[in-house]
Amino acid sequence: MGAWSSRPESPVDTNLDIEQPGVLNAWLHAHDLIAATEEPECTVLPGGVSNRTVLVDRSPQTSWVVKQALAKLRVKVDWFSSPERIHREADGLRWLVDMAPAGSITPLVFEDHTDHIIGMDAVPFPHENWKTMLLRGEIEPGHIDQFSAIGATIHARSAQRIEELRPIFGDRGFFQSLRVEPYYAYTATQVPEAADFYAALIADMAARQETLVHGDFSPKNVLVHEGKLVLLDHEVCHLGDPGFDLGFAMTHLLSKAAHMPASRAAFEEGTLRFWETYRTTAMEAGVGNWHLNLEPRAVRHTLGCLLARVRGRSPLEYLDEQERDRQATVVTRLMAAPPESVEDLVFFFLVGIKNEESRG
């Protein structure tokens, strides 16, 4: 079945909840997406804070993942964003299928503008969430290489099509409400000594529209199937600074290094490998000068995200309070004189964490 789009003819039904038993099947029937006799098994998928997400098992046919955007995100502090952002994810699915490495994006199946719902092909079983694997200490160099290459390839190919992409991804409202405000601006209010750093970072990022930026480039949004990585969750895709994706990604690797001393050396090596693979892939595939002088920006975005994930609206759930305090202390100190290279950032961050641990 090809992708289709239905435009709203009536106001959004805010009472529709696809996670409730029977609701999604009834909706799929009403929209003629499944046969009248078909009753697929629907399973709510855990972990998402911004969407309702349900697996629709249509065995032996291709199964789907169906998502519905939430107006109020499921976090402790108030955090709101328009459900219209689900259609940015639909656009991301349409375009990333061509711009990302083959097989790393799930195809879009349907899109509904009335109830803000999209459906995409499900990643086949067996698969596992990459974040879960990393938290078990399973840091595979091949996975790091794939993850890095996905980001570099998206950035490089989109830089060549920037004018074509501008009408679709030029608006950054969803990135503002889901990333800039809750991660950078809000954290600046919680850590006053970092306010000037964040103000400069936000201003520099706002001035750049260099590549398509995923905006949620995280191991949490990656499934591993038969050794191959598949990237999910594209609702904040926009034209912007590729340094944000790099900082967002390296933050997750470095935060896990801080959290898991027994695997620290592997995460350190993995972070450096991520950057070197990215740089090599970007330079080989890139056209133009979008990747020049990117490393210092990637460092500053990593610092910005490292602090945001312990003092912003969406703190990393696997860090305890003591670990969050250590990370905040080390990163705030580094923000005063940011390293210029990823290698120096990784070294000084992990040395700082070790020193804070020794202080108890």
Side-chain angles (χ1 to χ4, degrees):
M1 182 181 299
W4 60 270
S5 173
S6 64
R7 295 290 174 180
E9 296 180 358
S10 60
V12 173
D13 180 5
T14 55
N15 293 320
L16 184 74
D17 181 351
I18 65 170
E19 291 183 344
Q20 296 304 308
V23 169
L24 182 53
N25 268 351
W27 187 92
L28 292 169
H29 283 302
H31 289 76
D32 296 323
L33 288 165
I34 58 176
T37 57
E38 186 180 356
E39 291 293 337
E41 181 179 352
C42 294
T43 304
V44 175
L45 299 177
V49 301
S50 63
N51 298 285
R52 299 184 178 109
T53 309
V54 179
L55 174 65
V56 180
D57 184 355
R58 304 185 68 226
S59 301
Q61 302 179 66
T62 301
S63 296
W64 298 333
V65 170
V66 179
K67 299 178 69 172
Q68 180 185 35
L70 294 167
K72 185 179 188 299
L73 280 66
R74 294 186 275 209
V75 293
K76 289 183 178 180
V77 297
D78 285 345
W79 185 358
F80 301 91
S81 181
S82 169
E84 291 281 349
R85 68 185 182 277
I86 199 74
H87 309 297
R88 175 58 60 90
E89 176 153 19
D91 287 332
L93 288 165
R94 291 186 187 97
W95 286 85
L96 289 173
V97 162
D98 291 331
M99 286 188 289
S104 62
I105 303 294
T106 55
L108 179 70
V109 178
F110 60 83
E111 176 183 14
D112 181 83
H113 285 260
T114 300
D115 296 312
H116 303 304
I117 294 174
I118 64 171
M120 67 201 79
D121 283 348
V123 177
F125 286 98
H127 63 246
E128 190 163 14
N129 184 273
W130 190 34
K131 173 186 173 181
T132 302
M133 298 171 69
L134 291 174
L135 286 172
R136 290 202 302 260
E138 299 174 18
I139 305 106
E140 298 289 340
H143 293 163
I144 297 286
D145 290 346
Q146 286 185 61
F147 186 54
S148 182
I150 289 171
T153 303
I154 290 171
H155 293 163
R157 290 179 178 173
S158 62
Q160 300 172 39
R161 304 173 66 179
I162 204 77
E163 293 306 320
E164 187 181 0
L165 294 168
R166 198 179 304 281
I168 302 161
F169 297 102
D171 179 88
R172 294 188 276 194
F174 299 129
F175 181 67
Q176 170 68 29
S177 65
L178 289 170
R179 290 293 174 271
V180 179
E181 192 285 326
Y183 283 75
Y184 287 1
Y186 178 82
T187 305
T189 69
Q190 304 303 298
V191 188
E193 57 267 43
D196 288 346
F197 177 92
Y198 278 117
L201 190 61
I202 292 169
D204 182 72
M205 183 169 55
R208 299 181 184 275
Q209 287 197 335
E210 298 176 348
T211 70
L212 188 64
V213 175
H214 187 265
D216 206 0
F217 197 55
S218 157
K220 173 182 69 68
N221 295 326
V222 172
L223 296 180
V224 182
H225 170 63
E226 297 182 346
K228 188 172 182 62
L229 272 58
V230 181
L231 180 64
L232 310 172
D233 290 355
H234 318 296
E235 65 185 5
V236 290
C237 283
H238 64 285
L239 294 187
D241 182 357
F244 182 86
D245 276 349
L246 296 172
F248 203 78
M250 289 191 287
T251 285
H252 288 280
L253 298 175
L254 289 174
S255 294
K256 290 173 180 61
H259 174 62
M260 302 168 64
S263 299
R264 190 165 290 167
F267 277 112
E268 177 180 9
E269 181 180 343
T271 307
L272 296 173
R273 186 182 186 104
F274 170 87
W275 167 247
E276 289 303 322
T277 300
Y278 177 93
R279 181 162 59 182
T280 300
T281 305
M283 292 184 69
E284 289 177 350
V287 173
N289 60 4
W290 64 272
H291 51 78
L292 300 180
N293 301 315
L294 180 57
E295 187 170 9
R297 297 194 333 254
V299 167
R300 291 194 292 274
H301 279 294
T302 306
L303 290 173
C305 291
L306 280 167
L307 185 58
R309 296 318 301 264
V310 295
R311 291 293 184 261
R313 293 190 188 274
S314 182
L316 292 169
E317 83 291 344
Y318 55 80
L319 299 180
D320 62 29
E321 285 303 317
Q322 189 175 38
E323 290 171 324
R324 292 176 188 177
D325 288 345
R326 287 175 188 150
Q327 185 156 308
T329 298
V330 172
V331 174
T332 304
R333 187 182 303 135
L334 287 172
M335 283 178 168
E340 289 295 308
S341 71
V342 170
E343 183 177 6
D344 284 348
L345 167 67
V346 172
F347 175 79
F348 287 117
F349 174 75
L350 293 179
V351 166
I353 291 294
K354 185 176 181 180
N355 290 339
E356 290 300 314
E357 289 172 338
S358 67
R359 294 190 178 102

